[in-house]
Amino acid sequence: MTDGKDVKFKRVMLKISGEALMGDGQFGLNPPTVERIAREVKSVHDLGVEICMVIGGGNIFRGLQGSAQGMERTTADYMGMLATVMNALAMQSALETLGVFTRVISAIPMDQVCEPYIRRRAVRHLEKKRVCIFAAGTGNPYFTTDTASALRANEMSCEAIFMGKQVDGIYDSDPKKNPDAKRFDRISYDEVFRQNLKVMDASAIALARDNNMPLIVFSLDEPGGFRGILAGEGTYTTVHR
């Protein structure tokens, strides 16, 4: 592997879905799964890489689905933001149990639970080698955690966004349904738009593209996958400008 001197990136954003924390369950958090992901994060942190994280809230509540069921969209989205705070606190607990100092930073102030988002303070946490988990999305309804991850990655001067999925990259069709699906090693943001590939929402893709931010899509279920990519190993897709 690598000793940390030759890692490809020094500061990265890791975006994972809330569903990634469910394990084999249908709802909520699976503590062994949260711990497994925390160990993956720690293995990269141990290389000296500065890590930002954004975790979705779909394992607890998804605003868009709530809206589709008749709930007012703004209220549903705020509920989804609160779900991301719960997930962030769970990940913080798992990381700190492993000895990784972590800060949960919320776009919606809730001082008794976590820190409010102040960019300079968050940058200082990263410089002190603390993992920063950005919660509550952008603090605004109608924006997803995908967009929040692209926004915070740019604000924190990250060198890449890592998106942990259940598949090892971007395919031209669903590999779970089509055994002949083709995986891309590299693909441009414009081609993602043109082929309407469901990688991130359109706002997040545009924000990453316009700021020349590389996006790396990999399997979160592959043990050591996150660390391996930092060493130039493994299977993944890079999205570039």
Side-chain angles (χ1 to χ4, degrees):
M1 189 58 70
T2 178
D3 60 1
K5 295 180 181 179
D6 55 353
V7 291
K8 295 178 67 176
F9 304 106
K10 298 299 185 182
R11 180 180 294 174
V12 301
M13 166 64 72
L14 174 62
K15 166 63 170 70
I16 62 177
S17 67
E19 287 88 346
L21 306 183
M22 295 192 306
D24 295 329
Q26 299 298 314
F27 181 83
L29 293 158
N30 178 257
T33 300
V34 176
E35 181 184 353
R36 177 183 63 78
I37 295 173
R39 289 188 181 280
E40 292 284 325
V41 174
K42 181 180 185 299
S43 71
V44 171
H45 183 266
D46 287 346
L47 297 174
V49 178
E50 297 170 1
I51 301 173
C52 304
M53 293 183 69
V54 169
I55 307 172
N59 58 317
I60 299 171
F61 188 87
R62 187 178 291 279
L64 198 58
Q65 291 178 355
S67 177
Q69 294 173 10
M71 185 177 291
E72 195 269 324
R73 173 67 188 271
T74 301
T75 298
D77 279 355
Y78 278 123
M79 291 174 68
M81 291 179 214
L82 296 178
T84 71
V85 177
M86 295 172 68
N87 285 338
L89 292 172
M91 183 58 65
Q92 178 187 42
S93 177
L95 284 167
E96 294 200 330
T97 296
L98 298 173
V100 180
F101 292 111
T102 307
R103 295 292 185 271
V104 173
I105 301 171
S106 173
I108 299 175
M110 47 184 83
D111 295 348
Q112 292 167 308
V113 176
C114 51
E115 293 186 8
Y117 176 67
I118 300 172
R119 190 185 68 84
R120 287 180 179 272
R121 182 187 293 176
V123 169
R124 186 63 178 143
H125 286 319
L126 292 171
E127 291 171 347
K128 291 182 177 180
K129 305 304 179 184
R130 296 164 182 161
V131 172
C132 288
I133 306 177
F134 296 98
T138 66
N140 301 288
Y142 295 92
F143 289 93
T144 68
T145 50
D146 284 350
T147 301
S149 67
L151 174 65
R152 298 295 185 232
N154 281 291
E155 289 182 302
M156 294 296 106
S157 300
C158 292
E159 297 170 8
I161 300 171
F162 282 70
M163 178 161 281
K165 297 275 194 179
Q166 292 180 312
V167 292
D168 58 357
I170 301 172
Y171 287 76
D172 60 0
S173 60
D174 189 344
K176 295 181 179 179
K177 298 178 180 177
N178 178 15
D180 297 322
K182 174 190 173 186
R183 186 182 63 80
F184 300 99
D185 287 327
R186 288 176 60 83
I187 188 171
S188 69
Y189 281 110
D190 288 339
E191 194 64 19
V192 168
F193 270 128
R194 191 184 70 80
Q195 296 193 37
N196 195 29
L197 300 174
K198 304 299 183 182
V199 183
M200 305 172 84
D201 68 75
S203 297
I205 291 173
L207 185 57
R209 179 195 63 187
D210 293 348
N211 289 278
N212 200 23
M213 176 72 67
L215 170 66
I216 296 170
V217 182
F218 71 106
S219 173
L220 198 63
D221 295 332
E222 181 68 28
F226 186 23
R227 180 183 172 113
I229 295 170
L230 270 294
E233 304 169 357
T235 303
Y236 54 91
T237 297
T238 300
V239 188
H240 59 90
R241 189 171 183 182

